[in-house]
Amino acid sequence: MTDVKAGVEYKINVDGNSFLLDSKKYQLLESILDTGSLTESAKMVKISYGTALNYIDKIESTLQVKIVSTSKGGKGGGGGTTLTEEGYSILKECKKINAIMELHKDVNEIEAEVLAIDQSKGVMTVKMNSFEVNIPLNKNYAVGDKVLALISYDNIFLMLEPQKSSIRNIIKGTIVEMRLNNEIIRVNVDVGGVNIYSDITVSAEKELNLTIGKEIYIGFKAMSVATLKL
């Protein structure tokens, strides 16, 4: 089964009805898909068969859709249980949320403001504290909008001098922290009062001769920035 942290909840919406699906209920649906048995699924999730039935009933009654189809079997609540089309759609939506969460697990989150929009070039200029960067145009944004910029740690490049390349955003900063983790060095760079993290290899760190307090340039491509409107 997919590794899902306890306490995670997924807000599911079906035809105007919504339900908060917690990690236990998510794992129950995933196990039903894998095993085709509600009895086995309850054991895998470590809940009773009655609790599993109650979970299913709560989801179905709240969303007003049928999420499982059960065929009768032998003693002890056996038989086959499969997800309906609606049940599979709910599980698939949860998996998408999981994938997005995993993708953005190590990501710089920087509050910014839209300063300018260039429709012809398909880019926006946003201000992040004391510096400006270019990011892909989002037609739903307007000048003055507050956004949250998301940039993965491994999309931040480090360089000793600014270089002409496909990297559109190059900013000077100072290294304030370096931490080794599983052969990857996480470098914390103070850029105009904003802390931006970059993950680099040990060999790259040695080649650049990085030390705490050293001035360095960070760079990232416009297309590596995702945004959320605040």
Side-chain angles (χ1 to χ4, degrees):
M1 290 195 299
T2 303
D3 183 22
V4 181
K5 292 182 179 179
V8 174
E9 291 185 326
Y10 309 87
K11 187 175 182 180
I12 305 300
N13 296 287
V14 177
D15 296 332
N17 300 311
S18 62
F19 185 86
L20 284 177
L21 196 75
D22 62 25
S23 56
K24 280 283 187 184
K25 296 179 182 67
Y26 167 85
Q27 290 171 347
L28 179 65
L29 295 185
E30 187 177 37
S31 186
I32 289 172
L33 179 66
D34 291 339
T35 66
S37 167
L38 186 57
T39 303
E40 289 301 315
S41 298
K43 290 178 182 178
M44 291 180 68
V45 182
K46 298 180 181 178
I47 58 176
S48 68
Y49 182 79
T51 298
L53 284 176
N54 186 47
Y55 281 177
I56 297 298
D57 181 64
K58 281 185 178 179
I59 300 171
E60 292 184 338
S61 60
T62 302
L63 296 179
Q64 296 182 13
V65 294
K66 194 75 174 172
I67 65 169
V68 300
S69 176
T70 304
S71 59
K72 292 183 179 180
K75 296 180 180 180
T81 302
T82 58
L83 296 179
T84 63
E85 185 176 341
E86 290 81 3
Y88 181 73
S89 295
I90 290 171
L91 182 61
K92 186 168 68 173
E93 190 63 28
C94 292
K95 285 179 178 288
K96 284 168 57 179
I97 295 171
N98 265 348
I100 292 170
M101 289 171 64
E102 185 64 24
L103 183 64
H104 294 296
K105 181 173 60 177
D106 293 328
V107 65
N108 291 287
E109 299 181 6
I110 309 167
E111 292 189 14
E113 179 183 347
V114 179
L115 290 184
I117 293 176
D118 190 330
Q119 296 279 357
S120 62
K121 293 182 179 180
V123 297
M124 304 184 298
T125 300
V126 300
K127 184 176 182 180
M128 300 177 176
N129 203 8
S130 61
F131 58 93
E132 300 174 8
V133 300
N134 293 314
I135 64 175
L137 174 65
N138 186 317
K139 295 181 179 179
N140 295 320
Y141 295 168
V143 171
D145 281 348
K146 304 293 184 181
V147 300
L148 185 66
L150 307 174
I151 317 169
S152 175
Y153 293 173
D154 54 13
N155 279 330
I156 300 291
F157 302 94
L158 301 182
M159 57 197 82
L160 299 178
E161 296 292 340
Q163 301 171 4
K164 290 185 178 180
S165 67
S166 59
I167 301 174
R168 299 193 60 171
N169 300 296
I170 299 177
I171 313 157
K172 191 175 184 178
T174 303
I175 298 174
V176 294
E177 183 185 22
M178 297 173 60
R179 186 177 300 173
L180 178 64
N181 183 25
N182 295 327
E183 300 303 315
I184 295 295
I185 296 178
R186 181 155 295 171
V187 184
N188 180 354
V189 183
D190 183 337
V191 181
V194 176
N195 291 103
I196 296 181
Y197 295 86
S198 172
D199 282 348
I200 63 172
T201 62
V202 172
S203 60
E205 181 268 337
K206 289 180 179 178
E207 182 179 337
L208 294 170
N209 190 26
L210 301 182
T211 57
I212 293 176
K214 186 170 187 173
E215 290 189 339
I216 197 165
Y217 290 86
I218 69 159
F220 53 91
K221 297 180 180 180
M223 292 302 295
S224 67
V225 184
T227 56
L228 298 171
K229 192 173 181 179
L230 296 176

